[in-house]
Amino acid sequence: MTRPLTLLCSLVFSAAIAGAQQPPAPSQHTSGDAIRFQRLVLSDLYYCDGVSSGDIDGDGDVDVVAGPFWYEGPDFQIAHAFYEPVALPPADSPSNSMFSFVADFSGDGRQDILVLGRVHKHEAIWYENPGKSDGLWDKHVAFHRVKGESPTLVDLDGDGVPQVICHWDGCWGSIQPDPSHPTEPWRFIPIGDPEDWPQFYHGQGVGDVNHDGKLDLLLNDGWYEQPRDLSPKSSWEFHRGLFSKGRGGAQMFAQDVDGDGDNDILSAVDAHGWGLAWYEQTGTGSKTSFHEHLIMGDRSAIDRFGVAFTQPHALASADINGDGLPDLITGKRRWAHGPDGDIDPGAPPVVYWFELQRDPAGAVRYIPHQIDDASGVGVQILATDLNQDGRVDVATASKLGTFVFLQRGQ
């Protein structure tokens, strides 16, 4: 039986500021330049490349899940292993925990944990919450492989059952459990015609592209439109057209960036290279198109955008400063292909949030703000209110460890 591990928390804000400043009200807009984060090191070992959250022990606090551990909120100083922990050398290939998702898969009212490993090596496993703190959890095989570099867990069709968005046998679609037989392997539900999709596909997400109230599937190669009347025989129309002309990004989002009433697309240009962008939706109906606007380029454009780093392989979207506009959170993935792979592998492993600003004339700009320069990201980043103080916090997992950044206002 494993015992709780007491972990040290490293604070990077001054005690004077912490004592003298009162936190702003949850609805108060804080200047982006004034926002500071408290850095907590949950682990300095490499276990995983993704991080999630949920109330694992049912005490009302938000807990953090990363690799084989869940960390008790709200201070995250006690860790519990739910499968056997094995720390890995950071220079080696990615771990068997690339993504973590929290949901009640068993139907018993407790939050379980789904772990997705490497695309070409590991099964998707969900671990059943036993309702007690210590001891390893029973595991259940969900599916053979989850293909695609940025799967997400979402109720895509609104039937109340969580689904993992991925591709299998040449088709995009979802895998989902049968609520009446939760421990049985999950089934794959295709939504499009078969094509030769790479198993390491870059750039995927969900969002309502056409503002019909239904979630669509976003890909770097276009988007699948959810049909108005959904049935097992319904066909999802594929609107083909590249967003990024690079390798493709990581997570993708559909949001009204410019405030003109339609939803634009956000993505990384190249998850292993340079660039972030938003893609402006123009036109209507069959004449809809998307125009690329860079948020960050390569080093030659650093004066224009204020920052440049490679490998933005994990993206999240949240309103960091409380102004009602969705901001973008990302960072540099640490050694995706080892210390000599990709571009700029030795550059600082930074984490940034990009503040969305609109001027009265409708022009859009994203202002970069550094959160940290010694942690980096993996393939999944978390942006949510972890300590329930009304502010959005950030958590990352990388080959340098697992980190929480609590927003402390000015």
Side-chain angles (χ1 to χ4, degrees):
M1 179 177 295
T2 58
R3 296 295 180 190
L5 305 178
T6 301
L7 306 178
L8 297 179
C9 298
S10 173
L11 309 184
V12 295
F13 69 115
S14 81
I17 292 178
Q21 297 284 351
Q22 294 298 317
S27 61
Q28 182 176 333
H29 171 204
T30 303
S31 167
D33 290 332
I35 290 177
R36 298 292 180 267
F37 288 86
Q38 173 188 354
R39 183 180 196 258
L40 310 181
V41 181
L42 306 194
S43 172
D44 60 1
L45 298 177
Y46 174 44
Y47 289 102
C48 59
D49 298 83
V51 59
S52 188
S53 66
D55 184 5
I56 302 299
D57 53 3
D59 65 353
D61 292 322
V62 180
D63 308 307
V64 168
V65 175
F69 298 106
W70 67 271
Y71 301 85
E72 290 186 25
D75 54 11
F76 315 108
Q77 295 187 63
I78 298 177
H80 305 271
F82 61 93
Y83 68 84
E84 194 65 41
V86 178
L88 300 174
D92 287 356
S93 297
S95 78
N96 62 349
S97 176
M98 303 295 287
F99 295 86
S100 294
F101 299 103
V102 176
D104 179 9
F105 301 115
S106 65
D108 63 0
R110 294 190 289 265
Q111 296 295 292
D112 309 304
I113 300 172
L114 172 66
V115 176
L116 308 183
R118 298 183 70 190
V119 168
H120 63 303
K121 278 195 172 185
H122 300 118
E123 296 172 316
I125 303 290
W126 72 272
Y127 294 85
E128 187 172 358
N129 189 337
K132 56 184 180 180
S133 296
D134 293 337
L136 305 184
W137 297 7
D138 290 340
K139 69 178 184 178
H140 309 280
V141 175
F143 205 69
H144 319 288
R145 301 284 187 275
V146 174
K147 296 185 177 181
E149 288 274 319
S150 302
T152 187
L153 182 74
V154 64
D155 182 4
L156 183 65
D157 53 14
D159 65 354
V161 179
Q163 301 145 28
V164 176
I165 309 305
C166 61
H167 68 85
W168 184 254
D169 282 343
C171 293
W172 282 96
S174 64
I175 58 171
Q176 67 179 63
D178 179 353
S180 61
H181 300 90
T183 62
E184 296 296 316
W186 298 6
R187 64 191 179 111
F188 177 77
I189 303 173
I191 65 171
D193 296 328
E195 292 191 35
D196 186 19
W197 301 105
Q199 64 176 339
F200 300 108
Y201 188 88
H202 286 74
Q204 63 191 89
V206 295
D208 185 1
V209 179
N210 57 350
H211 256 312
D212 66 352
K214 293 179 175 292
L215 291 176
D216 307 305
L217 173 58
L218 313 176
L219 300 176
N220 191 55
D221 286 79
W223 59 284
Y224 281 98
E225 179 181 351
Q226 183 169 169
R228 187 176 302 276
D229 298 315
L230 195 61
S231 72
K233 296 184 179 180
S234 298
S235 175
W236 293 52
E237 182 180 359
F238 187 47
H239 302 269
R240 190 177 299 276
L242 278 176
F243 289 104
S244 164
K245 294 178 176 59
R247 184 193 310 230
Q251 289 82 3
M252 300 177 69
F253 308 98
Q255 299 171 350
D256 187 3
V257 173
D258 51 8
D260 65 354
D262 57 25
N263 277 337
D264 312 297
I265 306 299
L266 294 101
S267 180
V269 175
D270 184 343
H272 293 282
W274 302 98
L276 294 170
W278 69 279
Y279 299 85
E280 180 184 3
Q281 183 174 171
T282 60
T284 58
S286 62
K287 297 187 180 298
T288 297
S289 61
F290 294 87
H291 175 67
E292 182 181 83
H293 299 272
L294 286 180
I295 298 170
M296 178 179 68
D298 61 19
R299 195 170 287 114
S300 69
I302 195 168
D303 289 340
R304 176 183 172 191
F305 299 111
V307 68
F309 55 85
T310 62
Q311 300 199 66
H313 209 306
L315 275 68
S317 178
D319 181 6
I320 295 290
N321 60 346
D323 64 354
L325 300 178
D327 306 304
L328 191 65
I329 305 95
T330 187
K332 178 178 175 62
R333 186 176 178 187
R334 179 68 165 179
W335 293 357
H337 299 109
D340 300 317
D342 298 306
I343 303 170
D344 256 6
V350 295
V351 180
Y352 270 82
W353 71 279
F354 290 78
E355 178 185 3
L356 172 57
Q357 292 185 352
R358 301 179 189 146
D359 69 20
V364 168
R365 62 190 301 226
Y366 280 87
I367 310 301
H369 303 280
Q370 186 179 107
I371 296 175
D372 191 57
D373 65 355
S375 54
V377 302
V379 293
Q380 183 186 32
I381 192 169
L382 178 66
T384 191
D385 184 1
L386 290 172
N387 57 359
Q388 302 182 75
D389 66 352
R391 304 185 187 95
V392 174
D393 310 301
V394 174
T396 67
S398 74
K399 291 192 172 184
L400 293 172
T402 303
F403 306 87
V404 163
F405 304 97
L406 298 176
Q407 187 181 159
R408 295 304 190 191
Q410 300 182 36

